[in-house]
Amino acid sequence: MSIERTVRLSFSARARASGTHANLSAVRSDGPVLWVAGDETATIERLVADDPDRPEVYADQASTRLADLVRLPGEDADEEADVEGLARHGHFLWAVGSHSLRRRRVKARHSGEKALRRLARVTGQANRQVLVRLPVAEVDGLPTPVGELTVDGLVHRAAVFGAHGRDLRDLLADDEHLAPFLAIPGKDNGLDVEGIAVTGDRVFLGLRGPVLRGWAVVLELRPDLDPDDPTRLELGAFEDGRRYRKHVLRLDGLGVRDLCPHGEDLLVLAGPTMDLDGPVHVFRWRHALTADTPQVVRDDLLVREVDLPFGVGVDHAEGIGLLDPDPAGPRLLVVYDSPAPERLHDHGVTADVVRLPGTTGGR
Protein backbone atom coordinates (compact mmCIF):
# COMPACT_ATOMS: atom_id res chain seq x y z
CA MET A 1 0.00 0.00 0.00
CA SER A 2 1.37 3.45 -0.98
CA ILE A 3 -0.87 5.96 0.86
CA GLU A 4 1.22 9.05 1.59
CA ARG A 5 -1.26 11.41 3.16
CA THR A 6 -4.88 12.46 3.27
CA VAL A 7 -6.69 15.59 2.10
CA ARG A 8 -9.89 17.07 3.48
CA LEU A 9 -12.90 17.52 1.20
CA SER A 10 -15.29 20.11 2.64
CA PHE A 11 -18.90 20.43 1.51
CA SER A 12 -21.76 22.82 2.13
CA ALA A 13 -24.38 22.03 4.75
CA ARG A 14 -26.89 21.31 1.98
CA ALA A 15 -24.56 18.80 0.27
CA ARG A 16 -23.85 17.11 3.59
CA ALA A 17 -27.58 16.89 4.29
CA SER A 18 -27.96 15.13 0.90
CA GLY A 19 -25.23 12.68 1.90
CA THR A 20 -22.96 13.61 -1.01
CA HIS A 21 -19.80 13.50 1.11
CA ALA A 22 -20.59 9.93 2.23
CA ASN A 23 -21.57 8.64 -1.23
CA LEU A 24 -18.69 9.80 -3.44
CA SER A 25 -18.54 7.81 -6.65
CA ALA A 26 -16.31 9.83 -9.01
CA VAL A 27 -13.43 12.30 -8.91
CA ARG A 28 -11.30 14.23 -11.39
CA SER A 29 -8.57 16.81 -10.75
CA ASP A 30 -8.55 19.92 -12.93
CA GLY A 31 -5.81 22.39 -12.06
CA PRO A 32 -6.87 24.29 -8.93
CA VAL A 33 -10.18 22.46 -8.59
CA LEU A 34 -11.52 19.01 -7.95
CA TRP A 35 -14.66 17.66 -9.62
CA VAL A 36 -16.56 15.06 -7.59
CA ALA A 37 -19.96 13.43 -7.75
CA GLY A 38 -22.11 11.43 -5.37
CA ASP A 39 -24.35 8.62 -6.54
CA GLU A 40 -27.49 9.86 -4.73
CA THR A 41 -28.03 13.15 -6.62
CA ALA A 42 -28.18 14.56 -10.15
CA THR A 43 -25.41 17.09 -9.60
CA ILE A 44 -21.66 17.56 -10.03
CA GLU A 45 -19.66 19.31 -7.31
CA ARG A 46 -16.62 21.57 -7.71
CA LEU A 47 -14.17 21.99 -4.84
CA VAL A 48 -11.25 24.45 -4.78
CA ALA A 49 -7.76 23.61 -3.48
CA ASP A 50 -6.27 25.67 -0.68
CA ASP A 51 -2.81 25.22 -2.28
CA PRO A 52 -2.70 24.18 -5.98
CA ASP A 53 0.90 22.92 -5.60
CA ARG A 54 0.21 20.65 -2.63
CA PRO A 55 -3.43 20.79 -1.54
CA GLU A 56 -4.37 19.82 1.99
CA VAL A 57 -8.00 20.95 1.79
CA TYR A 58 -10.52 21.23 -1.03
CA ALA A 59 -13.44 23.52 -0.10
CA ASP A 60 -15.65 26.38 -1.44
CA GLN A 61 -18.01 23.82 -2.95
CA ALA A 62 -20.17 24.83 -5.91
CA SER A 63 -22.86 22.51 -7.24
CA THR A 64 -23.95 22.10 -10.87
CA ARG A 65 -27.43 20.68 -11.39
CA LEU A 66 -27.36 18.56 -14.56
CA ALA A 67 -30.96 19.43 -15.42
CA ASP A 68 -30.02 23.13 -15.59
CA LEU A 69 -27.75 22.41 -18.57
CA VAL A 70 -29.16 19.35 -20.36
CA ARG A 71 -32.46 17.55 -20.69
CA LEU A 72 -32.62 14.48 -18.45
CA PRO A 73 -34.96 11.58 -19.32
CA GLY A 74 -36.61 11.22 -15.90
CA GLU A 75 -39.95 12.84 -15.08
CA ASP A 76 -38.30 14.24 -11.96
CA ALA A 77 -35.22 16.20 -13.02
CA ASP A 78 -33.79 15.90 -9.50
CA GLU A 79 -34.13 12.13 -9.33
CA GLU A 80 -30.67 10.67 -8.82
CA ALA A 81 -28.55 10.18 -11.94
CA ASP A 82 -26.24 7.77 -10.10
CA VAL A 83 -23.21 9.53 -11.58
CA GLU A 84 -20.41 6.95 -11.46
CA GLY A 85 -17.72 8.56 -13.58
CA LEU A 86 -16.29 11.97 -14.48
CA ALA A 87 -13.79 12.89 -17.18
CA ARG A 88 -12.15 16.18 -18.16
CA HIS A 89 -10.88 16.58 -21.73
CA GLY A 90 -10.43 19.64 -23.92
CA HIS A 91 -13.25 22.12 -23.39
CA PHE A 92 -15.53 19.58 -21.74
CA LEU A 93 -16.43 17.87 -18.50
CA TRP A 94 -18.08 14.47 -19.02
CA ALA A 95 -20.35 12.55 -16.65
CA VAL A 96 -21.90 9.09 -16.98
CA GLY A 97 -24.73 7.45 -15.07
CA SER A 98 -24.54 3.84 -13.94
CA HIS A 99 -27.21 2.60 -16.41
CA SER A 100 -27.95 -0.06 -13.80
CA LEU A 101 -31.06 -1.58 -12.30
CA ARG A 102 -31.38 -1.90 -8.54
CA ARG A 103 -32.87 -4.45 -6.16
CA ARG A 104 -34.56 -3.31 -2.98
CA ARG A 105 -32.51 -3.59 0.21
CA VAL A 106 -33.48 -5.81 3.09
CA LYS A 107 -33.05 -3.87 6.33
CA ALA A 108 -32.75 -5.12 9.88
CA ARG A 109 -36.44 -4.53 10.58
CA HIS A 110 -37.55 -6.63 7.57
CA SER A 111 -38.18 -10.33 7.99
CA GLY A 112 -40.16 -13.17 6.46
CA GLU A 113 -42.41 -12.37 3.52
CA LYS A 114 -41.63 -8.65 3.54
CA ALA A 115 -37.93 -9.32 3.12
CA LEU A 116 -38.62 -11.72 0.26
CA ARG A 117 -40.96 -9.23 -1.42
CA ARG A 118 -38.29 -6.55 -1.28
CA LEU A 119 -35.69 -8.88 -2.78
CA ALA A 120 -38.08 -9.65 -5.64
CA ARG A 121 -38.54 -6.01 -6.58
CA VAL A 122 -36.20 -4.70 -9.29
CA THR A 123 -36.50 -1.13 -10.51
CA GLY A 124 -34.68 1.32 -12.76
CA GLN A 125 -34.33 5.09 -12.89
CA ALA A 126 -34.39 6.95 -16.19
CA ASN A 127 -31.81 9.55 -15.16
CA ARG A 128 -29.19 6.81 -14.75
CA GLN A 129 -29.21 6.16 -18.50
CA VAL A 130 -27.23 9.22 -19.61
CA LEU A 131 -23.84 10.27 -20.93
CA VAL A 132 -23.42 14.03 -20.52
CA ARG A 133 -20.89 16.45 -22.06
CA LEU A 134 -20.70 19.92 -20.50
CA PRO A 135 -18.62 22.84 -21.82
CA VAL A 136 -16.30 24.36 -19.22
CA ALA A 137 -15.53 28.10 -19.12
CA GLU A 138 -13.42 30.24 -16.81
CA VAL A 139 -15.81 32.13 -14.53
CA ASP A 140 -14.25 34.33 -11.84
CA GLY A 141 -10.95 32.56 -12.50
CA LEU A 142 -12.28 29.03 -11.96
CA PRO A 143 -13.42 26.32 -14.42
CA THR A 144 -17.22 26.22 -14.42
CA PRO A 145 -19.73 24.08 -16.38
CA VAL A 146 -21.84 26.23 -18.69
CA GLY A 147 -24.65 25.62 -21.16
CA GLU A 148 -22.78 27.15 -24.09
CA LEU A 149 -19.19 28.09 -24.90
CA THR A 150 -17.76 29.78 -28.01
CA VAL A 151 -14.16 28.93 -28.93
CA ASP A 152 -12.56 30.31 -32.12
CA GLY A 153 -16.00 31.11 -33.48
CA LEU A 154 -17.33 27.59 -32.85
CA VAL A 155 -20.25 27.25 -30.43
CA HIS A 156 -20.16 24.26 -28.07
CA ARG A 157 -23.44 23.36 -26.35
CA ALA A 158 -24.09 21.13 -23.37
CA ALA A 159 -25.23 17.81 -24.83
CA VAL A 160 -26.50 14.42 -23.69
CA PHE A 161 -26.82 10.88 -25.02
CA GLY A 162 -29.60 8.71 -23.60
CA ALA A 163 -32.26 11.35 -22.96
CA HIS A 164 -33.76 11.11 -26.45
CA GLY A 165 -34.48 7.94 -28.39
CA ARG A 166 -32.26 4.89 -27.92
CA ASP A 167 -29.86 4.77 -24.98
CA LEU A 168 -26.89 2.52 -24.22
CA ARG A 169 -29.06 -0.24 -22.77
CA ASP A 170 -31.06 -0.30 -26.03
CA LEU A 171 -27.86 -0.61 -28.06
CA LEU A 172 -26.73 -3.58 -25.95
CA ALA A 173 -30.06 -5.41 -26.21
CA ASP A 174 -28.75 -7.87 -28.83
CA ASP A 175 -25.14 -8.06 -27.65
CA GLU A 176 -23.92 -11.65 -27.42
CA HIS A 177 -22.03 -10.99 -24.18
CA LEU A 178 -23.93 -8.28 -22.35
CA ALA A 179 -27.61 -8.64 -23.33
CA PRO A 180 -28.28 -11.50 -20.85
CA PHE A 181 -27.24 -9.21 -17.98
CA LEU A 182 -29.46 -6.22 -18.77
CA ALA A 183 -32.36 -7.44 -16.63
CA ILE A 184 -30.08 -8.14 -13.65
CA PRO A 185 -29.43 -5.43 -11.02
CA GLY A 186 -25.96 -3.93 -10.99
CA LYS A 187 -24.94 -5.35 -7.62
CA ASP A 188 -26.02 -8.83 -8.78
CA ASN A 189 -23.41 -8.79 -11.62
CA GLY A 190 -25.79 -7.01 -13.98
CA LEU A 191 -24.89 -4.10 -16.24
CA ASP A 192 -23.30 -1.32 -14.18
CA VAL A 193 -21.20 1.49 -15.68
CA GLU A 194 -18.57 2.78 -13.25
CA GLY A 195 -15.84 4.93 -14.71
CA ILE A 196 -15.20 7.03 -17.79
CA ALA A 197 -12.08 8.19 -19.61
CA VAL A 198 -11.96 10.45 -22.67
CA THR A 199 -9.23 11.05 -25.22
CA GLY A 200 -9.76 12.71 -28.59
CA ASP A 201 -13.06 11.44 -29.99
CA ARG A 202 -12.92 8.23 -27.93
CA VAL A 203 -14.89 7.61 -24.74
CA PHE A 204 -14.15 4.55 -22.60
CA LEU A 205 -16.75 3.29 -20.13
CA GLY A 206 -15.68 0.80 -17.46
CA LEU A 207 -18.19 -1.82 -16.35
CA ARG A 208 -18.33 -2.94 -12.75
CA GLY A 209 -20.54 -5.70 -14.09
CA PRO A 210 -20.98 -8.01 -15.68
CA VAL A 211 -17.70 -9.83 -15.12
CA LEU A 212 -17.60 -12.77 -17.55
CA ARG A 213 -15.76 -15.78 -16.11
CA GLY A 214 -13.25 -13.41 -14.52
CA TRP A 215 -13.04 -10.95 -17.44
CA ALA A 216 -14.08 -7.34 -16.89
CA VAL A 217 -15.48 -5.29 -19.77
CA VAL A 218 -14.68 -1.79 -21.02
CA LEU A 219 -16.84 -0.26 -23.73
CA GLU A 220 -15.45 2.24 -26.23
CA LEU A 221 -17.75 4.82 -27.81
CA ARG A 222 -17.28 7.58 -30.36
CA PRO A 223 -19.90 10.21 -29.53
CA ASP A 224 -20.47 13.27 -31.66
CA LEU A 225 -23.12 15.94 -31.93
CA ASP A 226 -26.39 15.11 -33.63
CA PRO A 227 -26.32 17.29 -36.78
CA ASP A 228 -30.01 18.06 -36.28
CA ASP A 229 -29.77 19.02 -32.61
CA PRO A 230 -26.63 20.46 -30.94
CA THR A 231 -27.94 19.47 -27.49
CA ARG A 232 -27.92 15.75 -28.35
CA LEU A 233 -25.04 13.31 -28.72
CA GLU A 234 -25.13 10.38 -31.13
CA LEU A 235 -22.71 7.47 -31.38
CA GLY A 236 -20.58 6.88 -34.46
CA ALA A 237 -20.29 3.38 -35.90
CA PHE A 238 -17.20 1.16 -35.75
CA GLU A 239 -16.01 -1.11 -38.55
CA ASP A 240 -18.53 -3.86 -37.67
CA GLY A 241 -21.42 -1.40 -37.81
CA ARG A 242 -21.95 -1.37 -34.04
CA ARG A 243 -22.04 1.87 -32.07
CA TYR A 244 -19.60 0.55 -29.48
CA ARG A 245 -16.46 -1.57 -29.20
CA LYS A 246 -15.72 -4.07 -26.40
CA HIS A 247 -12.44 -4.66 -24.59
CA VAL A 248 -12.00 -7.36 -21.93
CA LEU A 249 -9.51 -7.21 -19.05
CA ARG A 250 -8.25 -9.90 -16.71
CA LEU A 251 -8.48 -8.05 -13.36
CA ASP A 252 -8.19 -10.99 -10.95
CA GLY A 253 -11.94 -11.56 -11.24
CA LEU A 254 -12.79 -7.96 -10.28
CA GLY A 255 -14.91 -5.39 -12.09
CA VAL A 256 -14.03 -1.83 -13.10
CA ARG A 257 -14.75 0.86 -10.50
CA ASP A 258 -13.09 3.78 -12.31
CA LEU A 259 -10.83 4.71 -15.22
CA CYS A 260 -8.19 7.44 -15.33
CA PRO A 261 -5.91 8.39 -18.27
CA HIS A 262 -2.16 8.53 -17.64
CA GLY A 263 -0.02 9.23 -20.69
CA GLU A 264 -1.06 6.67 -23.31
CA ASP A 265 -2.23 4.26 -20.59
CA LEU A 266 -5.41 3.86 -18.59
CA LEU A 267 -5.32 3.39 -14.84
CA VAL A 268 -8.09 0.98 -13.85
CA LEU A 269 -9.57 0.93 -10.35
CA ALA A 270 -10.77 -2.64 -9.83
CA GLY A 271 -13.04 -3.98 -7.09
CA PRO A 272 -15.77 -6.57 -6.50
CA THR A 273 -18.74 -6.51 -8.84
CA MET A 274 -21.11 -7.92 -6.20
CA ASP A 275 -22.05 -6.31 -2.88
CA LEU A 276 -18.80 -7.39 -1.23
CA ASP A 277 -15.83 -5.85 0.59
CA GLY A 278 -12.45 -5.83 -1.22
CA PRO A 279 -9.97 -6.61 -2.58
CA VAL A 280 -9.31 -3.34 -4.42
CA HIS A 281 -6.40 -2.73 -6.81
CA VAL A 282 -5.22 -0.15 -9.34
CA PHE A 283 -4.04 -1.72 -12.59
CA ARG A 284 -2.24 -0.05 -15.47
CA TRP A 285 -3.65 -0.94 -18.92
CA ARG A 286 -0.64 -0.18 -21.06
CA HIS A 287 -1.11 1.57 -24.42
CA ALA A 288 -4.89 1.57 -24.01
CA LEU A 289 -5.28 5.01 -25.55
CA THR A 290 -3.22 4.27 -28.66
CA ALA A 291 -4.69 0.85 -29.56
CA ASP A 292 -7.37 0.97 -32.25
CA THR A 293 -8.71 -2.58 -32.22
CA PRO A 294 -10.68 -4.60 -29.64
CA GLN A 295 -8.27 -5.65 -26.89
CA VAL A 296 -7.94 -8.79 -24.80
CA VAL A 297 -5.92 -7.28 -21.95
CA ARG A 298 -3.65 -9.44 -19.77
CA ASP A 299 -0.03 -10.33 -19.12
CA ASP A 300 2.35 -7.67 -20.46
CA LEU A 301 -0.48 -5.18 -21.22
CA LEU A 302 -1.77 -5.19 -17.64
CA VAL A 303 0.26 -4.34 -14.54
CA ARG A 304 -1.07 -4.33 -10.97
CA GLU A 305 0.39 -1.17 -9.49
CA VAL A 306 -1.32 -0.38 -6.18
CA ASP A 307 -3.36 -2.25 -3.57
CA LEU A 308 -5.88 -0.01 -1.80
CA PRO A 309 -7.36 -0.36 1.69
CA PHE A 310 -10.92 -1.47 2.28
CA GLY A 311 -13.04 -2.04 5.36
CA VAL A 312 -15.87 -4.30 6.40
CA GLY A 313 -18.94 -2.49 5.16
CA VAL A 314 -16.99 0.78 4.82
CA ASP A 315 -14.29 2.48 2.72
CA HIS A 316 -15.29 1.29 -0.73
CA ALA A 317 -12.88 2.97 -3.19
CA GLU A 318 -15.04 4.39 -5.99
CA GLY A 319 -13.00 7.06 -7.75
CA ILE A 320 -9.41 7.84 -8.70
CA GLY A 321 -7.98 11.01 -10.22
CA LEU A 322 -4.41 12.05 -11.03
CA LEU A 323 -3.23 15.12 -9.19
CA ASP A 324 -1.19 17.71 -11.06
CA PRO A 325 2.33 16.53 -12.00
CA ASP A 326 4.63 16.13 -9.02
CA PRO A 327 8.44 16.16 -9.44
CA ALA A 328 8.58 13.17 -7.08
CA GLY A 329 6.25 11.12 -9.30
CA PRO A 330 2.56 10.75 -10.08
CA ARG A 331 -0.04 10.78 -7.30
CA LEU A 332 -3.60 9.50 -7.30
CA LEU A 333 -6.41 10.94 -5.24
CA VAL A 334 -8.78 8.19 -4.06
CA VAL A 335 -12.34 8.85 -2.85
CA TYR A 336 -14.54 6.37 -1.01
CA ASP A 337 -18.21 5.49 -0.83
CA SER A 338 -19.48 4.53 2.66
CA PRO A 339 -16.46 6.10 4.37
CA ALA A 340 -15.37 4.77 7.75
CA PRO A 341 -16.38 7.01 10.69
CA GLU A 342 -12.79 8.17 11.19
CA ARG A 343 -12.80 9.65 7.66
CA LEU A 344 -15.68 11.98 8.49
CA HIS A 345 -15.10 15.48 9.85
CA ASP A 346 -17.37 18.40 10.67
CA HIS A 347 -17.49 19.68 7.08
CA GLY A 348 -17.05 16.54 4.99
CA VAL A 349 -14.70 13.65 4.51
CA THR A 350 -11.04 12.79 3.90
CA ALA A 351 -9.61 11.23 0.74
CA ASP A 352 -6.29 9.45 0.25
CA VAL A 353 -3.29 10.54 -1.80
CA VAL A 354 -1.54 7.48 -3.22
CA ARG A 355 1.86 7.37 -4.91
CA LEU A 356 2.13 5.31 -8.09
CA PRO A 357 5.25 3.12 -8.06
CA GLY A 358 6.62 4.22 -11.43
CA THR A 359 5.87 5.63 -14.85
CA THR A 360 5.35 3.84 -18.12
CA GLY A 361 3.46 4.27 -21.33
CA GLY A 362 4.22 7.73 -22.61
CA ARG A 363 5.38 9.85 -19.69
Side-chain angles (χ1 to χ4, degrees), residues 41-44 66-67 70-74 77 79-86 94-100 125-134 159-169 191 193-196 203 205 221 223 231 233 235:
T41 67
T43 62
I44 297 171
L66 294 180
V70 296
R71 172 187 165 188
L72 296 178
E79 177 186 75
E80 72 174 63
D82 199 18
V83 174
E84 292 286 354
L86 296 172
W94 295 75
V96 65
S98 69
H99 290 73
S100 65
Q125 292 175 302
N127 284 351
R128 295 180 174 213
Q129 322 299 329
V130 295
L131 172 66
V132 177
R133 191 186 76 171
L134 304 177
V160 59
F161 173 73
H164 323 257
R166 302 183 76 199
D167 59 29
L168 183 62
R169 292 179 64 89
L191 179 73
V193 177
E194 291 206 10
I196 179 173
V203 172
L205 301 180
L221 314 176
T231 68
L233 295 172
L235 301 184

Side-chain angles (χ1 to χ4, degrees), residues 21-346:
H21 67 300
N23 293 284
L24 295 178
S25 56
V27 62
R28 200 58 90 227
S29 178
D30 185 12
V33 309
L34 199 68
W35 304 104
V36 298
D39 58 14
E40 300 291 333
T41 67
T43 62
I44 297 171
E45 320 304 330
R46 186 193 68 193
L47 304 174
V48 183
D50 61 335
D51 180 353
D53 294 326
R54 187 178 171 83
E56 300 291 339
V57 177
Y58 287 90
D60 298 327
Q61 179 224 338
S63 185
T64 296
R65 184 172 174 262
L66 294 180
D68 288 341
L69 300 180
V70 296
R71 172 187 165 188
L72 296 178
E75 293 183 5
D76 179 0
D78 291 314
E79 177 186 75
E80 72 174 63
D82 199 18
V83 174
E84 292 286 354
L86 296 172
R88 182 75 167 88
H89 181 71
H91 301 298
F92 301 104
L93 176 68
W94 295 75
V96 65
S98 69
H99 290 73
S100 65
L101 302 180
R102 59 182 183 172
R103 191 181 300 279
R104 294 295 297 273
R105 293 176 183 236
V106 176
K107 300 181 180 179
R109 67 178 184 273
H110 299 140
S111 60
E113 290 298 321
K114 185 167 185 179
L116 293 175
R117 284 197 303 271
R118 290 180 71 87
L119 284 176
R121 187 175 178 189
V122 175
T123 60
Q125 292 175 302
N127 284 351
R128 295 180 174 213
Q129 322 299 329
V130 295
L131 172 66
V132 177
R133 191 186 76 171
L134 304 177
V136 175
E138 291 289 321
V139 178
D140 296 328
L142 293 172
T144 304
V146 293
E148 182 177 300
L149 175 67
T150 301
V151 180
D152 296 330
L154 184 63
V155 178
H156 302 280
R157 299 279 301 277
V160 59
F161 173 73
H164 323 257
R166 302 183 76 199
D167 59 29
L168 183 62
R169 292 179 64 89
D170 295 323
L171 293 179
L172 298 174
D174 60 353
D175 186 88
E176 64 269 36
H177 298 107
L178 302 178
F181 297 89
L182 293 179
I184 301 174
K187 288 184 173 58
D188 295 351
N189 200 38
L191 179 73
D192 192 358
V193 177
E194 291 206 10
I196 179 173
V198 179
T199 181
D201 64 348
R202 306 167 72 186
V203 172
F204 295 85
L205 301 180
L207 302 189
R208 174 176 175 173
V211 172
L212 308 173
R213 199 177 175 94
W215 292 88
V217 181
V218 172
L219 299 178
E220 181 183 340
L221 314 176
R222 290 188 174 171
D224 202 353
L225 287 181
D226 183 331
D228 298 321
D229 186 347
T231 68
R232 297 172 59 172
L233 295 172
E234 61 178 13
L235 301 184
F238 288 87
E239 292 78 3
D240 60 2
R242 284 181 169 171
R243 304 288 171 173
Y244 59 93
R245 174 186 284 160
K246 287 176 291 190
H247 308 280
V248 293
L249 292 75
R250 194 72 170 178
L251 301 177
D252 295 344
L254 303 173
V256 177
R257 293 297 188 91
D258 201 7
L259 299 171
C260 181
H262 186 209
E264 64 183 32
D265 303 340
L266 275 179
L267 300 175
V268 182
L269 176 64
T273 182
M274 309 289 279
D275 192 11
L276 300 170
D277 298 313
V280 184
H281 310 301
V282 176
F283 290 85
R284 180 180 294 276
W285 175 6
R286 301 183 66 242
H287 312 301
L289 303 182
T290 55
D292 197 30
T293 58
Q295 299 288 296
V296 177
V297 186
R298 58 188 169 196
D299 303 331
D300 60 329
L301 289 179
L302 199 61
V303 179
R304 187 168 127 190
E305 296 220 322
V306 175
D307 299 332
L308 292 178
F310 60 92
V312 178
V314 298
D315 278 354
H316 300 143
E318 289 276 349
I320 55 174
L322 275 170
L323 295 175
D324 278 348
D326 187 317
R331 265 70 175 164
L332 281 177
L333 187 68
V334 184
V335 298
Y336 298 85
D337 192 2
S338 302
E342 55 267 27
R343 287 192 182 275
L344 300 175
H345 57 81
D346 288 344

Side-chain angles (χ1 to χ4, degrees), residues 347-360:
H347 298 287
V349 69
T350 60
D352 290 334
V353 176
V354 178
R355 180 178 58 85
L356 292 176
T359 59
T360 60

